[in-house]
Amino acid sequence: MKRILIIEDEKNLARFIELELNYEGYQTEVCADGRSGLNKAITEQWDVILLDLMLPELNGMEVCRRIRQVKNTPILMITARDNVLDRVSGLDSGADDYLVKPFAIEELLARLRALFRRIENISSEQTEPVQKLTVLTYKDIVLELESHIARKGKEVIALTKREYDLLSMFMSNINIVLTRDVLLNKIWGYESEVETNVIDVYVRYLRNKLDPSGQEQYIETVRGIGYVMR
């Protein structure tokens, strides 16, 4: 059973779409604002996301852009705006298709079938075996190495490349104390002119993102040596 997330603030329309999709055999869930819809889209697996353009808290364009930073879930944008600029903006923000309100439910169903066919055709054309995702875990922190995503619980952590590489080093060496020189050489490279105190700066950045309370419950300081995750 395919799962469809409906992010739509018009209650009657959302309910109508939900009932029709349920009747067609789809499993659905509705979010009435952009922020909760974004959280659902990122933290759960969906076959398609139906995304309204005009939403409270976070508009559809921004929701679409943020989803595209971490996921390739097909997105069908639904909106009352029908001018060319809005359609182009919606597609450029990462939407796979664009449907203008009011629309017949038959057209929505046809667009969904077309999206699923496109996905199935792409999958059938792949001759190489799918690479297994490599995951590192420590307490409630999860790193997906191939997709370059860091999570704390269900929330995605926004990390720079250096911060991500530093966290990956710690999580690949649990219980091993890493000196500043080792970290500098592994992440910045042997030819780097950067001073070792840059490691302290980046550890502080990383700690602030992992644990804003400042309790150092993830990265422990080993005085005079370096840092460790135990």
Side-chain angles (χ1 to χ4, degrees), residues 20-175:
E20 291 293 332
L21 293 182
N22 290 161
Y23 180 77
E24 293 293 326
Y26 297 110
Q27 182 182 346
T28 61
E29 191 163 341
V30 176
C31 289
D33 65 83
R35 198 164 298 280
S36 64
L38 175 62
N39 185 58
K40 277 280 182 185
I42 290 176
T43 59
E44 297 184 28
Q45 294 300 318
W46 305 96
D47 293 290
V48 167
I49 297 170
L50 300 184
L51 177 62
D52 186 25
L53 183 60
M54 301 299 294
L55 292 167
E57 296 194 26
L58 207 61
N59 67 60
M61 294 287 189
E62 185 61 24
V63 171
C64 189
R65 279 191 288 267
R66 294 192 189 186
I67 292 172
R68 280 292 170 263
Q69 290 175 0
V70 294
K71 285 195 169 184
N72 292 318
T73 310
I75 297 173
L76 174 55
M77 196 166 278
I78 50 177
T79 177
R81 294 183 176 181
D82 62 350
N83 64 62
V84 173
L85 181 59
D86 285 323
R87 290 199 296 271
V88 170
S89 297
L91 295 171
D92 282 346
S93 68
D96 296 272
D97 202 353
Y98 197 101
L99 186 58
V100 178
K101 302 176 186 178
F103 53 81
I105 193 63
E106 291 80 8
E107 182 178 5
L108 173 59
L109 295 173
R111 298 288 185 101
L112 289 174
R113 289 193 295 270
L115 274 176
F116 291 136
R117 281 198 303 271
R118 193 181 311 160
I119 295 166
E120 289 165 4
N121 288 339
I122 292 172
S123 298
S124 65
E125 290 171 359
Q126 292 178 340
T127 56
E128 295 296 323
V130 177
Q131 184 178 9
K132 187 176 180 181
L133 190 67
T134 307
V135 175
L136 298 178
T137 60
Y138 174 75
K139 296 185 178 180
D140 59 344
I141 305 295
V142 176
L143 285 189
E144 297 175 4
L145 298 187
E146 284 77 16
S147 57
H148 215 74
I149 293 174
R151 304 179 192 276
K152 181 180 180 183
K154 292 185 177 181
E155 297 295 324
V156 174
I157 311 169
L159 299 177
T160 66
K161 183 181 185 305
R162 298 291 191 196
E163 291 167 350
Y164 185 93
D165 291 344
L166 187 60
L167 181 57
S168 178
M169 275 290 296
F170 286 129
M171 292 180 65
S172 298
N173 295 278
I174 299 298
N175 293 323

Side-chain angles (χ1 to χ4, degrees), residues 190-212:
Y190 288 95
E191 304 301 323
S192 175
E193 299 295 329
V194 178
E195 298 293 333
T196 54
N197 62 0
V198 76
I199 297 297
D200 302 322
V201 174
Y202 273 84
V203 167
R204 184 168 69 250
Y205 291 159
L206 194 52
R207 280 172 170 165
N208 288 339
K209 291 184 178 181
L210 297 180
D211 185 23

